[in-house]
Amino acid sequence: MTTVRTSVLPPYAAHLRVYEPLAAYPEPERARWQAYAATHGPDASVPEHSVAPAALVEQRKALAEVVGRTPRALPDRESEQAFVRQLDGVTYVCPWATRLRSWQALDELRASLPVALLDTVLPPAARAAATAQRERWQAGHPDDRPWILTSRWEVPLRWFLPFGAEDRCFVPGSAEDRRGQVAPALFYLTPMAQARRRVARAYRALRERQGLGSAGGPARGPAGQGGPLVQEVEQIGRWLEEFHPRSLVELDYGGLVHLLGPERLAVEDSVAEVESGLLALRSGDEAGAVRAYETVTARWRQVLALRYAS
């Protein structure tokens, strides 16, 4: 298990990860990850262990890449590191895939910043070079996908769907923060088969019933037409289908633990509330489903609003 003492405060971001068993990787990639896992050791050897200390190592390396250098759109080479979990004698690997995720982050940056500010952060020439490199890479790796999705300042509602309340793991102390104090961790871990079933059930329920239509929520429409939430659930389902059926799926609140604080974190259980809302929806109690939806979204809007706090 990786341990680290660092002054790096994790970014306010949550992560959705997939850990695939070694058998899922083709040779010679399998042999490489097997050797890596044997040398590196597991970051978590029981389900109740968090990989938060290893995540701090990843963030520290990323910070070292940019400090004191001219900003680059993406790393020169793909990372050869991964998060490693061991469960019931099986080794599971979640590659960092830093370069691939950097390309995706660049797309998000383009969508979120005005052009003038974007040009200041990353000049057009750097973005054009990154795009050209990505196109060349994709030509030789058409099926590659990230093992890690990242969301800044919030946990998207659709990310709660693969999990059940029984998957919740709250660790009062996990990794040290910048003040040398031990920060808590909150994560959910579940088998891929269970995650797919839950997402499929949620998708069917949302398709069969009217949208949850509330302020800021999916628009109402005839049953079966769906809305933004239905489309987002479908995207998550398709992403999960890309991986080995015996994989593990993890939702890690990551640096958001610093925004929520220990007391709120100890009682935070959006997964159970989303489960309750879906149960109400399937039983025809749309009012109950709307209440659950609004409760969860209101909570995360409050967290998201901290992005603009001074």
Side-chain angles (χ1 to χ4, degrees):
M1 180 176 178
T2 303
T3 57
V4 61
R5 299 181 68 91
T6 177
S7 60
V8 175
L9 184 69
Y12 298 136
H15 309 281
L16 190 63
R17 304 187 184 105
V18 171
Y19 298 79
E20 291 191 285
L22 286 173
Y25 296 92
E27 294 291 4
E29 192 177 3
R30 182 189 307 173
R32 179 167 65 84
W33 287 128
Q34 189 169 18
Y36 175 86
T39 304
H40 175 81
D43 297 304
S45 54
V46 296
E48 295 78 18
H49 283 175
S50 168
V51 299
L56 278 177
V57 172
E58 180 197 16
Q59 290 146 12
R60 195 177 188 182
K61 287 179 179 292
L63 183 62
E65 284 289 318
V66 296
V67 172
R69 296 185 180 186
T70 302
R72 295 178 298 163
L74 68 158
D76 293 329
R77 284 183 253 178
E78 186 55 276
S79 171
E80 295 184 353
Q81 293 173 280
F83 297 112
V84 179
R85 276 191 173 275
Q86 209 162 54
L87 185 62
D88 297 329
V90 179
T91 298
Y92 298 86
V93 175
C94 175
W96 289 1
T98 308
R99 201 164 192 249
L100 177 57
R101 291 160 60 203
S102 295
W103 275 317
Q104 293 184 318
L106 182 57
D107 289 340
E108 294 172 10
L109 201 63
R110 287 193 184 102
S112 62
L113 293 182
V115 174
L117 182 56
L118 181 61
D119 288 346
T120 301
V121 175
L122 272 176
R127 300 201 305 274
T131 300
Q133 291 175 35
R134 182 177 188 175
E135 290 173 352
R136 289 194 297 270
W137 182 85
Q138 283 183 319
H141 307 80
D143 298 324
D144 270 24
R145 68 283 186 262
W147 287 261
I148 305 172
L149 302 182
T150 297
S151 174
R152 294 159 186 82
W153 294 93
E154 65 173 337
V155 180
L157 183 66
R158 60 191 179 275
W159 283 17
F160 297 122
L161 296 175
F163 307 94
E166 68 275 16
D167 301 321
R168 185 179 187 273
C169 281
F170 175 59
V171 184
S174 175
E176 290 184 340
D177 66 15
R178 62 181 172 183
R179 295 173 298 277
Q181 298 173 336
V182 176
L186 178 59
F187 65 95
Y188 292 78
L189 187 69
T190 198
M192 175 63 78
Q194 185 70 281
R196 288 177 179 171
R197 280 195 294 268
R198 288 173 176 143
V199 171
R201 285 199 298 264
Y203 179 74
R204 286 195 299 270
L206 291 167
R207 289 277 294 178
E208 290 168 0
R209 301 288 179 177
Q210 289 185 342
L212 299 182
S214 61
R220 284 190 180 273
Q225 287 187 0
L229 180 57
V230 175
Q231 296 169 10
E232 291 168 356
V233 173
E234 183 178 15
Q235 290 171 1
I236 286 294
R238 290 182 182 277
W239 181 67
L240 293 176
E241 289 291 339
E242 294 286 333
F243 300 96
H244 193 279
R246 296 191 181 276
S247 300
L248 302 175
V249 187
E250 177 184 59
L251 168 58
D252 184 356
Y253 277 50
L256 295 183
V257 299
H258 296 278
L259 287 178
L260 295 172
E263 292 183 2
R264 286 178 65 187
L265 203 61
V267 297
E268 155 58 29
D269 202 357
S270 295
V271 164
E273 290 169 314
V274 170
E275 273 190 311
S276 174
L278 285 170
L279 181 62
L281 190 63
R282 285 195 291 268
S283 65
D285 179 11
E286 294 193 10
V290 169
R291 283 195 299 272
Y293 174 84
E294 291 181 340
T295 297
V296 176
T297 54
R299 177 186 306 124
W300 286 101
R301 276 198 296 267
Q302 291 177 354
V303 177
L304 185 60
L306 295 174
R307 174 189 296 180
Y308 306 105
S310 60

